[in-house]
Amino acid sequence: MERLIPLGLIISLFLFFPIATSLPASGRPRTYIINMDKSAMPAAFSSHHDWYTSTLSSLAVLSQAHLDQLHELSSHLATYPETFGHLYTTYTPTFLGLRKHYGLWPASGFGDDMIIGVLDTGIWPESESFNDEGFPPVPERWRGACETGTEFNLSYCNRKMTGARSFSKGMQQEKQNISKTNDYDSPRDFISHGSHTSSTAAGSSVVGAEYFGYAKGKAIGMAPKARIAMYKVLFFDESYDAAATDVLVGMDLAIEDGVDVMSLSLGFIETPFDENPIAIGAFAALKKGIFVSCSAGNNGPHAYTILNGAPWITTVGAGTIDREFAAHVTLGDGELTVIGKSVYPENLFVSNVPIYFLHGNRTKELCEIYSLDPEEVAGKYILSEAVGAIFSSDEAQFFRPTDFFKPFVLVNPKDGDLVKDYIINSKNATVSIRFLATLLGTKPAPQVADFSSRGPDRISPWILKPDILAPGVDILADWTPNRGFVPIGDHDYLLTDYAIVSGTSMSCPHAAGIATLLKSTHRDWSSAAIRSAMMTTADVIDNANGRIIDMITGVAGTPLDFGTGHINPNKAIDPGLVYDIEIQEYINYLCGLNYTSKQIRTTTGMRHFKCDSATLDLNYPSFIILLNNTKTISITFRRELTNVAEGSSVYRAVVRTPDSFRHESCSAT
């Protein structure tokens, strides 16, 4: 059963629970998050659930006046109106260097015995990605549940998918009745986003996965032997939104159930941490040793667009991989063959059809017919016989699979000039096109995705964000088979079991899965140590031996684009040194942000705490300096590293700075 009152989100000292009250202007009930001091519970109550229920019942109908009464209670800490968060929508293990008999995979047992809690749109339980064949019994420590609901029953959970819960009371209170929409009022996935992220993090091995002939091969998650627990917190409402109360309840239950890692491919507008449900829930998870991975957001490429920037969250940006989808274009009887980008979802072979170079009035006429801007396609090439087109463009990398609803091919300008010359100099120019090509080893890769949000964080700019880059462009993973994915022609949509999707929603579960592998290998590592291992071993060099570039600018990116670099799982298994962070250090950081005692209690769930120091220099694996038109500034960074390697080692500190910077010294003790 779905729980209205979250039990134990901030387990040690206080809890959150949603209530409804009336707005004076409209009379419409509204949901609030109410933060109560758990330690203030009267002795007469046997449980906090009874106390909260009694408190609400004693206030009868919750009008605004009654809400004011709550504010007067000595045990009341804070009340916030409901807010809504948003989504950010098999080859990657190979790209990341994961191997069956070498490195992190075998060292971790492929994530065996670990449980990943995924907060998302639900899950499609029949998918082969969630098959439990060969899995041992569920760990006895697991306390989760499999909830029933619309088209979802207890039999769908198994040794792979250990739990499935659904949380919609906050959404239904504010916006709609889920049962009246197309979404399922149950853990079943409607939009496919949750199935995609879950299978990316920990999908079982599935032979023969493909997207209409593209990316054929074996689909497998980052931690294929780990278990998955789905916490559905996003529901259809014109767009996919998550109510803050539902997310808090979901995170609360995930902690109570006993997950080892959380993956949240969603985010709320950045607010102070004490008002951000993910930041609050993630701190509660931190105290229980649970690693939390979150999407950086899809609001790039501009600065200050990062979401989920709390320093106890691992914030993941999106990068490309070295795989592209293409079509082979052959002119005439083989006079010239070029390769262009295409993800047209049909096994179509265009054979020796006439090809024309249209320009001037004819281009304008054709553009009007197909609703194209004549200025945008001027100088490009139209293949008319197949109702398709060959475009000359240097922006092919920005096109997504769903853009290819007709047999379009994009060639680079250099090849476009060759095609143009062939057409002009041939009396009877023809073209043949073969689709369904998958190219591997393309360069340069990775690149920072154009949409990936950039740092620094508006709320906490003294911590460099994002933390790291992970694969997030054209990722093949599970999809709901009854949900039309790609348009074909003018009116139809095609169905698929596996879809190619891009977003930091895709990069987040990659990092979560790799963190699961590391946690399985190093059971004594803290969440900060795991994040540090991933960050300090990340790659800043691409497969073309250059610095990772920004897709938008085409030049080398910066740490504000990709954090410390692109994740490298096999290096992360043995980082040598880690930057560990204790709970008290996070509290000191909040003190450095000038948070009030109430704000710190709300964020951390700790009633009794003290500020050993008020500092913005957290023991983080990265460094950032904020300059406000200051000509000369001196900053001292202090870091403490922990040796996690076997035996003793000697390390030499090296500092590389931009030409405009000068470092005085770098000392170690």
Side-chain angles (χ1 to χ4, degrees):
M1 293 292 291
E2 180 179 287
R3 303 188 185 184
L4 173 62
I5 302 178
L7 302 176
L9 173 63
I10 312 300
I11 293 176
S12 62
L13 289 170
F14 62 82
L15 303 183
F16 286 90
F17 58 98
I19 66 169
T21 186
S22 299
L23 297 177
S26 64
R28 181 179 64 85
R30 186 173 183 183
T31 305
Y32 289 85
I33 299 171
I34 297 181
N35 182 306
M36 301 289 285
D37 180 3
K38 183 177 179 180
S39 65
M41 182 184 75
F45 294 98
S46 60
S47 70
H48 296 92
H49 182 280
D50 293 340
W51 176 38
Y52 296 147
T53 303
S54 175
T55 301
L56 293 178
S57 298
S58 68
L59 292 175
V61 178
L62 295 172
S63 64
Q64 182 62 49
H66 293 138
L67 187 62
D68 292 340
Q69 285 182 257
L70 270 179
H71 291 176
E72 295 174 1
L73 295 177
S74 60
S75 55
H76 174 265
L77 291 178
T79 298
Y80 303 109
E82 181 71 281
T83 57
F84 292 88
H86 308 280
L87 292 174
Y88 295 124
T89 167
T90 52
Y91 166 70
T92 48
T94 300
F95 178 68
L96 293 172
L98 292 170
R99 301 290 185 270
K100 185 176 182 180
H101 301 292
Y102 165 80
L104 185 55
W105 257 359
S108 66
F110 301 86
D112 183 38
D113 197 46
M114 293 287 105
I115 302 170
I116 304 176
V118 181
L119 281 82
D120 216 298
T121 66
I123 198 164
W124 193 262
E126 296 90 347
S127 170
E128 284 300 308
S129 293
F130 312 122
N131 189 312
D132 69 347
E133 183 178 354
F135 273 73
V138 176
E140 293 184 1
R141 61 186 173 83
W142 176 242
R143 300 179 296 275
C146 190
E147 297 179 351
T148 61
T150 307
E151 298 191 31
F152 203 97
N153 58 55
L154 297 179
S155 67
Y156 287 129
C157 291
N158 55 29
R159 294 182 175 185
K160 175 67 174 180
M161 193 178 75
T162 60
R165 297 180 183 269
S166 178
F167 308 93
S168 63
K169 290 191 181 298
M171 175 67 72
Q172 296 201 57
Q173 178 66 44
E174 285 292 304
K175 290 195 172 187
Q176 61 175 9
N177 185 342
I178 298 297
S179 63
K180 293 182 180 179
T181 72
N182 291 323
D183 205 334
Y184 304 102
D185 195 5
S186 75
R188 182 173 289 279
D189 196 358
F190 176 69
I191 197 176
S192 305
H193 190 275
S195 299
H196 198 281
T197 56
S198 299
S199 60
T200 298
S204 297
S205 176
V206 180
V207 176
E210 63 175 84
Y211 172 78
F212 302 108
Y214 296 94
K216 288 183 177 180
K218 180 171 66 175
I220 191 168
M222 295 296 101
K225 290 298 183 181
R227 324 299 177 107
I228 296 169
M230 171 54 63
Y231 298 84
K232 183 175 178 179
V233 297
L234 292 127
F235 291 82
F236 178 74
D237 179 50
E238 296 181 355
S239 62
Y240 267 76
D241 294 333
T245 48
D246 293 334
V247 172
L248 278 169
V249 177
M251 297 183 80
D252 169 29
L253 265 295
I255 294 169
E256 185 177 301
D257 290 345
V259 303
D260 300 291
V261 171
M262 282 193 205
S263 180
L264 292 90
S265 291
L266 61 99
F268 292 79
I269 294 174
E270 286 292 83
T271 59
F273 298 141
D274 62 307
E275 300 175 16
N276 188 307
I278 295 179
I280 294 170
F283 203 101
L286 168 75
K287 294 191 296 182
K288 290 295 182 179
I290 300 170
F291 182 94
V292 180
S293 174
C294 290
S295 299
N298 296 338
N299 301 312
H302 303 295
Y304 291 99
T305 54
I306 282 286
L307 301 178
N308 298 314
W312 48 88
I313 292 173
T314 298
T315 313
V316 190
T320 65
I321 60 177
D322 64 341
R323 179 182 65 189
E324 295 181 1
F325 307 111
H328 294 274
V329 178
T330 301
L331 301 170
D333 294 325
E335 285 93 330
L336 175 67
T337 297
V338 299
I339 297 176
K341 177 167 183 173
S342 184
V343 201
Y344 183 63
E346 282 192 331
N347 188 10
L348 175 67
F349 177 51
V350 177
S351 179
N352 288 313
V353 301
I355 183 171
Y356 302 96
F357 171 44
L358 300 185
H359 54 87
N361 291 334
R362 296 190 65 191
T363 302
K364 181 178 180 180
E365 179 183 345
L366 188 66
C367 291
E368 289 175 349
I369 294 174
Y370 290 102
S371 301
L372 300 176
D373 185 345
E375 294 183 0
E376 290 185 2
V377 300
K380 298 170 184 174
Y381 313 92
I382 307 298
L383 174 64
S384 61
E385 287 294 320
V387 196
I390 301 175
F391 294 99
S392 175
S393 173
D394 58 2
E395 297 187 352
Q397 60 186 340
F398 300 110
F399 283 74
R400 300 291 172 245
T402 51
D403 295 326
F404 295 90
F405 59 93
K406 289 189 178 181
F408 300 147
V409 182
L410 286 84
V411 298
N412 63 50
K414 181 179 178 180
D415 289 337
D417 289 339
L418 295 176
V419 175
K420 175 182 175 181
D421 291 341
Y422 163 77
I423 296 172
I424 292 175
N425 296 311
S426 300
K427 185 175 181 180
N428 296 304
T430 61
V431 66
S432 300
I433 305 178
R434 184 176 294 278
F435 294 86
L436 306 187
T438 300
L439 309 178
L440 303 179
T442 58
K443 297 180 179 181
Q447 301 177 41
V448 183
D450 55 313
F451 55 78
S452 187
S453 290
R454 270 51 166 189
D457 179 55
R458 290 184 180 275
I459 300 300
S460 178
W462 299 274
I463 300 295
L464 180 62
K465 292 285 182 172
D467 292 311
I468 204 163
L469 207 66
V473 177
D474 289 345
I475 304 303
L476 180 74
D478 191 76
W479 203 254
T480 57
N482 67 340
R483 178 78 172 175
F485 177 71
V486 61
I488 186 73
D490 296 324
H491 306 291
D492 297 325
Y493 276 79
L494 298 179
L495 304 177
T496 180
D497 291 329
Y498 289 84
I500 298 171
V501 184
S502 299
T504 54
S505 283
M506 285 66 247
S507 58
C508 169
H510 276 92
I514 293 168
T516 301
L517 299 175
L518 292 171
K519 192 176 182 71
S520 179
T521 307
H522 301 287
R523 301 296 177 107
D524 59 332
W525 282 11
S526 68
S527 296
I530 293 173
R531 178 178 59 233
S532 174
M534 293 193 295
M535 291 175 66
T536 60
T537 59
D539 296 323
V540 295
I541 303 300
D542 60 28
N543 62 357
N545 294 320
R547 191 174 177 86
I548 295 174
I549 69 171
D550 184 333
M551 281 178 63
I552 292 291
T553 63
V555 300
T558 74
L560 293 176
D561 303 318
F562 53 64
T564 59
H566 193 274
I567 196 167
N568 187 320
N570 291 329
K571 286 185 179 179
I573 193 175
D574 185 19
L577 301 175
V578 296
Y579 297 81
D580 210 349
I581 304 176
E582 300 290 339
I583 297 293
Q584 181 60 47
E585 295 176 70
Y586 289 118
I587 294 174
N588 293 341
Y589 182 75
L590 295 174
C591 297
L593 292 175
N594 293 321
Y595 275 32
T596 65
S597 295
K598 182 178 179 181
Q599 285 179 300
I600 296 175
R601 286 199 303 269
T602 302
T603 303
T604 67
M606 300 171 65
R607 181 171 180 81
H608 302 291
F609 63 88
K610 63 178 180 178
C611 291
D612 291 343
S613 64
T615 178
L616 298 176
D617 186 21
L618 197 60
N619 195 45
Y620 218 73
S622 56
F623 307 81
I624 185 171
I625 301 174
L626 302 178
L627 301 177
N628 297 316
N629 299 320
T630 303
K631 293 183 179 180
T632 303
I633 187 172
S634 177
I635 297 290
T636 300
F637 291 101
R638 292 181 174 85
R639 294 291 186 269
E640 179 179 311
L641 293 107
T642 302
N643 183 17
V644 294
E646 294 184 4
S648 59
S649 302
V650 176
Y651 295 88
R652 182 170 60 93
V654 177
V655 178
R656 296 184 179 92
T657 60
D659 293 338
S660 58
F661 283 70
R662 178 170 56 89
H663 67 275
E664 296 289 343
S665 63
C666 181
S667 60
T669 58

Short mmCIF file of all heavy atoms in Angstrom, two decimals, residues 39 65 580:
data_model
loop_
_atom_site.label_atom_id
_atom_site.label_comp_id
_atom_site.label_asym_id
_atom_site.label_seq_id
_atom_site.Cartn_x
_atom_site.Cartn_y
_atom_site.Cartn_z
N SER A 39 12.37 14.40 18.10
CA SER A 39 12.74 14.22 19.51
C SER A 39 11.72 14.85 20.45
O SER A 39 11.73 14.59 21.65
CB SER A 39 14.12 14.82 19.78
OG SER A 39 14.09 16.24 19.58
N ALA A 65 -6.18 28.68 8.94
CA ALA A 65 -6.08 28.96 10.37
C ALA A 65 -5.49 27.76 11.11
O ALA A 65 -4.68 27.91 12.03
CB ALA A 65 -7.45 29.31 10.94
N ASP A 580 37.91 11.89 1.63
CA ASP A 580 36.73 11.45 2.39
C ASP A 580 36.13 12.65 3.11
O ASP A 580 36.82 13.65 3.38
CB ASP A 580 37.11 10.36 3.38
CG ASP A 580 35.97 9.40 3.64
OD1 ASP A 580 34.84 9.69 3.21
OD2 ASP A 580 36.20 8.35 4.28
#
